Amino acid sequence: MAFQILLNVVLAFLWMFIKVSYDPISFVKGYIFGLLVIFVLRRYFHSRFYLFRLWSFIKLIFIFIKELILSNVAIVKIVLKPTLDMRPAIFAMDTELTKDWQITLLSSLITLTPGTLVIDVSEDNKTLFIHAMNIGEVEAEINSIKNSFEKAILEVSR
Amino acid sequence: MRKTNNIILETAVKVLLFFIALYSVYIFTAGHYYPGGGFIGGLMTAGAIVLLLITYDIKTVTKILPVNYRILTAIGLLFAIGTSAGSLIYDLPFLTHAFGDVHLPLLGELSIHTATLFDLGVYFVVVGVTMTIIQTIGEDE
């Protein structure tokens, strides 16, 4: 992905040198034409065409915003309840993610959505230990959320 | 005691360090027209190195930045004294600063002031002194 972006910038500079006009407008034009060339020749690269990955990243951001709003509403419901009948618990979750930045991103997303909190990562980076505020009713639901985050992150790094 | 897995901290520092370093450079260069300057820039650079020290251990950080901070302090003092004494060559009083517009081929018009070099000396001294203090405390067993 980084290589494709670098190539695109180099192509934009090449366009500027060919046209002998060194202003931002011609850079943008060269970038767009370079994008077109890279899109046509996208099967040469090992990774996907980088706009697709950018799109999956934007999708991940939207998933995160949605989850943030929903889970905050759930927390407000719990706080305003007259009876405190939640059941906190710590459970382990196996993750398929391998790279450092993927695990960090997943942990940050889990921690930023209220109700769950990453406490520790195991030595071999395969298991996350998560503290949940209300385990009884939501463990299946939490796992579905994790799957959505994990799937989205895998989608970004494919 | 089991060594904890610091993967989240390390990855976050990997990204954040460059932001902090660049911001400290900005603070250093902004000193003439905006709030900032050599002292606060140096402290912020030292803060970035301290963040590294928190994340890794002293051996690793000396491998990343093989800098002798005592020599850095001396270099900073030399900068400050040198720019102050430079005015003596032109028969002006000590600490008189010169400034002017310099035309460079790539960057265009730059207004350059010798107080910047003095500030660079301050910057080096602050980084050197702060890191010397922290390292000597940290290496005490």
Side-chain angles (χ1 to χ4, degrees):
Chain A
M1 171 158 175
F3 175 73
Q4 288 182 37
I5 293 174
L6 189 66
L7 181 70
N8 205 336
V9 170
V10 168
L11 284 176
F13 271 107
L14 183 70
W15 181 266
M16 274 161 54
F17 282 123
I18 292 168
K19 301 283 280 187
V20 205
S21 60
Y22 305 105
D23 47 11
I25 303 290
S26 66
F27 180 84
V28 171
K29 274 184 191 165
Y31 198 88
I32 291 167
F33 284 118
L35 200 66
L36 201 71
V37 170
I38 290 175
F39 179 72
V40 172
L41 299 174
R42 67 189 178 278
R43 307 219 187 288
Y44 267 114
F45 301 106
H46 295 294
S47 55
R48 283 191 306 164
F49 179 56
Y50 77 89
L51 273 195
F52 294 162
R53 288 181 66 175
L54 206 65
W55 172 241
S56 9
F57 186 69
I58 291 164
K59 266 206 300 211
L60 176 67
I61 290 171
F62 276 114
I63 289 172
F64 169 65
I65 290 170
K66 192 192 89 183
E67 291 294 340
L68 192 65
I69 292 165
L70 284 179
S71 47
N72 270 303
V73 168
I75 292 293
V76 166
K77 272 184 192 161
I78 290 173
V79 169
L80 295 179
K81 233 190 213 169
T83 54
L84 285 176
D85 54 355
M86 62 218 184
R87 295 172 49 235
I90 295 173
F91 64 95
M93 186 190 105
D94 290 336
T95 167
E96 303 154 31
L97 304 173
T98 48
K99 294 197 181 75
D100 285 4
W101 66 267
Q102 293 173 333
I103 292 167
T104 307
L105 190 61
L106 181 69
S107 316
S108 310
L109 290 177
I110 292 170
T111 305
L112 281 170
T113 49
T116 46
L117 180 74
V118 174
I119 297 171
D120 201 1
V121 185
S122 70
E123 205 59 52
D124 54 0
N125 295 343
K126 281 203 174 74
T127 315
L128 299 178
F129 296 101
I130 301 169
H131 178 276
M133 208 170 82
N134 200 349
I135 193 84
E137 54 183 32
V138 283
E139 188 169 5
E141 197 185 318
I142 284 169
N143 271 329
S144 77
I145 291 170
K146 300 296 167 285
N147 281 337
S148 73
F149 279 146
E150 221 175 35
K151 265 216 277 294
I153 291 173
L154 278 172
E155 193 72 26
V156 169
S157 50
R158 202 151 53 80
Chain B
M1 181 181 152
R2 188 178 72 90
K3 211 176 145 293
T4 49
N5 190 352
N6 284 336
I7 178 172
I8 296 171
L9 176 68
E10 279 171 24
T11 318
V13 165
K14 244 177 231 169
V15 177
L16 283 176
L17 185 74
F18 296 96
F19 287 91
I20 298 169
L22 186 70
Y23 192 70
S24 70
V25 171
Y26 160 73
I27 287 278
F28 168 75
T29 53
H32 205 64
Y33 299 105
Y34 303 102
F39 189 81
I40 187 70
L43 274 183
M44 202 175 277
T45 307
I49 304 169
V50 168
L51 192 63
L52 269 181
L53 281 170
I54 290 170
T55 315
Y56 303 101
D57 48 9
I58 285 183
K59 279 199 189 86
T60 321
V61 176
T62 44
K63 224 177 262 168
I64 296 169
L65 281 170
V67 180
N68 187 342
Y69 292 106
R70 292 172 194 79
I71 291 174
L72 194 72
T73 314
I75 289 170
L77 285 171
L78 274 180
F79 260 100
I81 292 174
T83 46
S84 314
S87 58
L88 294 175
I89 299 168
Y90 299 103
D91 248 355
L92 288 164
F94 191 70
L95 271 174
T96 309
H97 283 292
F99 56 91
D101 290 339
V102 180
H103 193 78
L104 288 174
L106 261 181
L107 302 168
E109 287 288 327
L110 278 182
S111 77
I112 287 182
H113 201 295
T114 51
T116 311
L117 287 172
F118 186 85
D119 228 13
L120 194 70
V122 173
Y123 177 88
F124 281 157
V125 169
V126 169
V127 172
V129 168
T130 315
M131 289 320 296
T132 307
I133 291 169
I134 286 166
Q135 272 194 332
T136 39
I137 293 170
E139 280 165 353
D140 272 350
E141 285 298 328

